[in-house]
Amino acid sequence: MSIPFNRPYITGKELENIMQAHRNGRLAGDGQFTKDCETWLETATGCHRAMLTNSCTAALEMSALLLDVQASDEIIMPSYTFVSTANAFVLRGAIPVFVDIRNDTLNLDERLIEAAITDKTKVIVVVHYAGVACEMDAILAIAKRHGLRVIEDAAQGIMASYKGRPLGSIGDMGTLSFHETKNIHCGEGGALLINTPGYRQLAEIIREKGTDRSRFYRGEVDKYTWQSVGSSYLPGELLAAFLYEQMQSAQAITDMRLTVWERYHAALEPLESQGKLRRPIIPAECAHNAHMYYILLNDESTRDRTMAKLKAAGIMSVIHYVPLHSAPAGKRFGRAHGALAVTEDISSRILRLPLWVGISGESQELIAAKLAAIL
Ligand SMILES: *Cc1c(COP(=O)(O)O)cnc(C)c1O
């Protein structure tokens, strides 16, 4: 028997939508399913305007273009994140400034941000790790004091919230991922959430190769032309059709994932009491979405040994980010603010357990029993 780390969920009705998109006779982007997905996102998050993109990476690149990030601008972000958080800004010649994370939520430590701000700082990019929100009130207050923009990398954050506010709808902009490893997906996909009016027209132009094709389609201009710098960030209708079906099931998917998450949390409580591992900490103001279940082992060798022994038993667990400041490109393009001791410590001890819709309670009990035996 083998338990995979992830198994992308399919509701079973995605193909009906794809056939409908085919019948609609329009397979490029910005058709009916694209609009349906965007309307769903605007309703679900309360953002000013949602735009589907090819990926969260594409949405981050769009946000850098929209905020007119320039060469040598400094962008504050965690080092403990996916490469795209940094790459989107490095593509514009900007400099990622890596700030350490909190030991409890593994999110950017808001208490360290202010000391990292210089007169070159332009943007703070926060990452809501595992669908658990950053301390957004404190971060927004810092941004306001220093005239900075806030982008939420909410790749893992669909259906999660902070003080009742959906993730991605709190900063100036938010980015979501619909990659198959995320809670709701279309294989590869993403969205940009714009929360301040005034960016919509430029965002449409940037997404459509720098042209005003979106206005042309709406009949607002009689031809479309090159208006601005831009790229190809608009997904086709087949992906939107697939994604729209997933969106219909977003609450059910979240509920099923939360059930799995809670089962791990209960089963691993004794091991935490015995000091063998630490379970995730969810602050009271955060409603999370069960994107991930991770454990923190006591040291790196215990983590590596645990992962190897689980694998030998057919259970696939995985580590997470190699801190960006310690990676070759991170050293070349970025700068660490301070020692980043928590980032390095956490990344050496974290282990993520299999979490997907449909994993059985028995499998989870087996995993908990194996962990008890190993530790
Ligand atoms: C998954 C992820 C991304 C990238 O998402 P894509 O849709 O694959 O581009 C970016 N940031 C974080 C924090 C992620 O988890």
Side-chain angles (χ1 to χ4, degrees):
M1 194 196 62
S2 143
I3 305 173
F5 173 68
N6 181 45
R7 188 175 277 172
Y9 181 65
I10 293 180
T11 74
K13 293 199 195 133
E14 288 86 351
L15 282 179
E16 287 173 28
N17 277 11
I18 286 178
M19 286 192 299
Q20 182 59 48
H22 188 240
R23 280 196 295 273
N24 290 350
R26 171 173 180 166
L27 298 175
D30 230 353
Q32 191 56 47
F33 279 109
T34 302
K35 291 185 174 74
D36 289 344
C37 287
E38 291 175 346
T39 302
W40 186 91
L41 284 167
E42 285 160 11
T43 307
T45 68
C47 71
H48 173 66
R49 169 98 170 105
M51 302 179 76
L52 282 199
T53 59
N54 295 314
S55 61
C56 182
T57 303
L60 285 162
E61 289 180 20
M62 282 184 68
S63 72
L65 287 165
L66 275 168
L67 295 178
D68 197 26
V69 169
Q70 300 283 329
S72 74
D73 283 347
E74 294 183 355
I75 315 295
I76 290 176
M77 65 180 70
S79 170
Y80 188 69
T81 181
F82 189 63
V83 293
S84 296
T85 316
N87 243 336
F89 299 92
V90 169
L91 274 167
R92 312 252 48 85
I95 300 160
V97 175
F98 301 116
V99 169
D100 212 357
I101 52 173
R102 295 175 60 104
N103 187 53
D104 52 1
T105 58
L106 320 190
N107 282 331
L108 190 62
D109 190 335
E110 69 284 354
R111 296 159 297 192
L112 303 176
I113 292 175
E114 219 148 13
I117 293 173
T118 72
D119 53 12
K120 296 220 164 129
T121 307
K122 184 152 192 175
V123 180
I124 302 170
V125 186
V126 301
V127 178
H128 303 299
Y129 188 67
V132 177
C134 298
E135 278 296 335
M136 291 308 292
D137 280 348
I139 291 164
L140 293 179
I142 293 166
K144 195 168 179 200
R145 253 196 317 279
H146 295 271
L148 307 176
R149 297 293 180 187
V150 175
I151 298 171
E152 298 173 75
D153 180 340
Q156 305 171 12
I158 188 93
M159 304 296 282
S161 62
Y162 169 78
K163 298 187 178 174
R165 303 175 69 186
L167 303 190
S169 74
I170 306 168
D172 292 280
M173 293 170 201
T175 62
L176 300 175
S177 175
F178 303 119
H179 186 265
E180 71 164 24
T181 52
K182 303 305 199 296
N183 289 18
I184 75 163
H185 74 97
C186 56
E188 301 269 359
L192 176 66
L193 308 184
I194 298 173
N195 302 317
T196 34
Y199 289 112
R200 175 191 173 161
Q201 201 172 329
L202 183 56
E204 280 184 347
I205 288 168
I206 288 170
R207 187 172 66 165
E208 272 283 26
K209 300 92 189 167
T211 75
D212 53 354
R213 181 147 75 179
S214 298
R215 296 191 67 200
F216 173 69
Y217 278 155
R218 288 197 296 268
E220 294 166 17
V221 288
D222 60 4
K223 59 180 182 302
Y224 69 88
T225 57
W226 188 17
Q227 300 284 333
S228 174
V229 64
S231 191
S232 181
Y233 294 128
L234 177 65
E237 275 287 284
L238 296 181
L239 284 174
F242 187 105
L243 182 60
Y244 189 57
E245 167 52 28
Q246 294 255 324
M247 285 174 169
Q248 305 310 298
S249 303
Q251 189 60 55
I253 291 169
T254 307
D255 291 345
M256 290 188 282
R257 294 185 73 99
L258 283 165
T259 301
V260 173
W261 195 98
E262 292 294 348
R263 283 201 298 243
Y264 274 132
H265 211 55
L268 297 174
E269 197 277 328
L271 287 177
E272 185 176 72
S273 300
Q274 294 160 32
K276 307 282 193 190
L277 55 78
R278 198 192 91 187
R279 299 178 302 159
I281 294 168
I282 313 290
E285 62 270 26
C286 301
H288 76 104
N289 60 1
H291 174 61
M292 183 191 302
Y293 199 91
Y294 66 79
I295 52 176
L296 295 173
L297 285 314
N298 288 343
D299 53 54
E300 184 166 15
S301 66
T302 308
R303 191 270 307 268
D304 293 348
R305 185 168 56 84
T306 304
M307 185 167 66
K309 288 199 169 170
L310 287 174
K311 188 173 180 201
I315 298 162
M316 299 305 148
S317 62
V318 294
I319 63 171
H320 217 181
Y321 307 123
V322 174
L324 298 185
H325 74 280
S326 67
K331 285 183 187 153
R332 186 155 11 121
F333 298 119
R335 160 160 76 72
H337 177 78
L340 308 194
V342 182
T343 297
E344 287 176 6
D345 174 50
I346 294 290
S347 88
S348 74
R349 297 192 289 119
I350 197 164
L351 194 62
R352 295 181 292 154
L353 303 180
L355 198 171
W356 32 273
V357 173
I359 188 172
S360 68
E362 283 151 46
S363 294
Q364 289 189 271
E365 275 164 35
L366 179 77
I367 292 166
K370 278 275 174 232
L371 282 170
I374 295 165
L375 299 169

